[in-house]
Amino acid sequence: MTDDHDAEGNEYEEPERTTFDHDPIGHSHVWAGMSVGELADQYGHAGIGAAGVHEAVDIYTEMLADDDCTVFMSLAGAMVPTGMRQIVADLIRDGHVDALITTGANLTHDAIEAIGGKHHHGDHEHPDLDEREFDEQLRDEQVDRIYNVYLPQEYFSLLESHLRDNVFPPLAEQDSVGIAELCAELGKANAERNEAEGIEEDAGIAAAAYENDVPIYCPAVQDSVFGLQAWMYSQISDLTLDALADMTPLTDLAYDADTAGCLLVGGGVPKNFTLQTMLVTPGAYDYGVQITMDSSSTGGLSGATLDEARSWGKLTKEARNVTVLGDATVHLPLIVAAARERLGK
């Protein structure tokens, strides 16, 4: 076809295209010294995953800019030991999180850092050992591995003493406590010990939440060292956890929200616990950003799209939402930094 005519010389008439957007791919540009916000803007000229990240920045920025929006953040996976701890704590301190739903594992590793423990890089290249032999050697050296992050086991002993001396005793004096109250007591104790001992590392996520009256919900706390230690302490004390106690305040928070948004980092129980809250409220999420490594083709919860959640009434029909497929340790800092840049804070 040339000069608006087809091969037979007939005048070409463009068909009606209801699903076609006259917005040509613009090709991303990069340059020395560009900001992360400028990079996110350039992603908007591209397709596939880059376009999704650009949309995530747009939606997350709008979510945070909406003063009437109640923001729920879910955090699954090994986010604290792999270096995402400060990002989450800063979001809480800056008023960008109204409720955090996370795993007992993230709270475990958060507390370890708050009281002086550290996660470490390590030499993962051992040509003389296969993977099994390498992990057997780590076992002998009393080092736990989380992907390419390493944690000496003595830090778990440090955590156990902290929990038994500072966290569990006041809770055992009550008839029963909700898990959110357990998390608040953990945050209080982390902050106090961090300050008293002059620990260089920040007091962390649980401390930031306690100091800013942000509730932490941990619906599967038993599935962690934190929960395991709570169970062990309950065998020698009157500590009793009420797993249903958190449902009312969490539901009330969603019920009272003028608008609601969710930032879902990873999947699993925190993701579902965050989304299912809207099933018992008149409203639904108006904004949703999900970062996950799992595709929807597996049929698993962690890969389920937010569009699917709309069919359940967890998102409004008009909600702005996007699912970003990829490593959250790469995408979370980028999305948060770009949104902060746009907001000027």
Side-chain angles (χ1 to χ4, degrees):
M1 184 182 72
T2 60
D3 298 328
D4 295 329
H5 288 76
D6 63 20
E8 298 176 357
N10 299 316
E11 185 176 349
Y12 176 74
E13 293 184 9
E14 182 177 293
E16 182 179 352
R17 290 166 171 162
T18 60
T19 60
F20 183 79
D21 187 358
H22 290 273
D23 183 15
I25 293 293
H27 303 291
S28 299
H29 293 263
V30 296
W31 57 89
M34 72 186 307
S35 70
V36 68
E38 290 169 334
L39 177 61
D41 290 342
Q42 288 299 314
Y43 279 1
H45 298 305
I48 311 182
V53 173
H54 176 265
E55 186 176 5
V57 173
D58 276 351
I59 295 171
Y60 189 52
T61 303
E62 186 175 338
M63 188 193 310
L64 297 186
D66 185 345
D67 291 335
D68 295 324
C69 183
T70 301
V71 178
F72 297 77
M73 182 178 185
S74 74
L75 191 70
M79 292 297 99
V80 169
T82 53
M84 301 295 103
R85 179 176 184 258
Q86 194 66 52
I87 293 172
V88 179
D90 287 344
L91 284 172
I92 292 171
R93 290 193 177 102
D94 291 341
H96 296 319
V97 178
D98 294 296
L100 177 67
I101 299 89
T102 191
T103 61
N106 277 318
L107 294 175
T108 295
H109 293 280
D110 176 58
I112 284 174
E113 295 246 351
I115 62 176
K118 289 298 295 181
H119 299 82
H120 297 267
H121 294 286
D123 182 5
H124 197 61
E125 298 299 325
H126 292 271
D128 54 328
L129 301 173
D130 63 29
E131 186 170 349
R132 175 169 179 160
E133 290 171 334
F134 175 61
D135 285 313
E136 288 174 347
Q137 180 172 310
L138 290 176
R139 172 73 175 270
D140 291 339
E141 295 174 357
Q142 298 182 24
V143 174
D144 295 327
R145 180 170 72 88
I146 306 167
Y147 296 89
N148 58 354
V149 175
Y150 302 86
L151 180 67
Q153 289 180 3
E154 59 263 28
Y155 291 142
F156 285 108
S157 297
L158 186 69
L159 173 67
E160 179 180 354
S161 298
H162 175 58
L163 295 175
R164 287 174 174 260
D165 293 343
N166 306 313
V167 179
F168 296 148
L171 299 175
E173 296 175 1
Q174 304 178 47
D175 291 336
S176 68
V177 295
I179 297 170
E181 189 173 354
L182 169 67
C183 295
E185 193 66 36
L186 176 68
K188 177 176 181 288
N190 288 354
E192 290 175 348
R193 182 162 176 180
N194 186 270
E195 181 179 5
E197 298 189 9
I199 293 169
E200 183 177 349
E201 186 62 53
D202 187 275
I205 294 171
Y210 169 75
E211 291 167 350
N212 291 274
D213 295 321
V214 172
I216 295 179
Y217 299 103
C218 187
V221 68
Q222 303 95 319
D223 184 29
S224 66
V225 170
F226 183 30
L228 186 64
Q229 287 294 329
W231 169 74
M232 293 174 65
Y233 191 81
S234 73
Q235 304 304 296
I236 58 170
S237 73
D238 293 327
L239 177 64
T240 303
L241 297 181
D242 182 352
L244 297 179
D246 295 343
M247 302 297 289
T248 298
L250 177 61
T251 302
D252 286 347
L253 189 64
Y255 191 96
D256 293 336
D258 293 324
T259 57
C262 58
L263 173 61
L264 309 174
V265 183
V269 174
K271 171 186 174 179
N272 189 67
F273 201 69
T274 301
L275 292 176
Q276 76 171 13
T277 300
M278 291 301 177
L279 293 178
V280 289
T281 67
Y285 286 109
D286 302 278
Y287 311 97
V289 174
Q290 174 178 218
I291 307 170
T292 180
M293 287 284 285
D294 296 321
S295 71
S296 59
S297 61
T298 64
L301 166 73
S302 297
T305 66
L306 293 179
D307 289 322
E308 178 183 307
R310 180 178 283 105
S311 75
W312 289 74
K314 299 172 183 177
L315 270 70
T316 66
K317 291 182 178 180
E318 303 78 19
R320 293 195 65 195
N321 62 276
V322 66
T323 295
V324 175
L325 288 175
D327 183 347
T329 64
V330 175
H331 290 301
L332 178 64
L334 193 156
I335 291 169
V336 170
R340 282 184 174 276
E341 184 176 325
R342 290 187 183 182
L343 293 169
K345 56 183 177 181

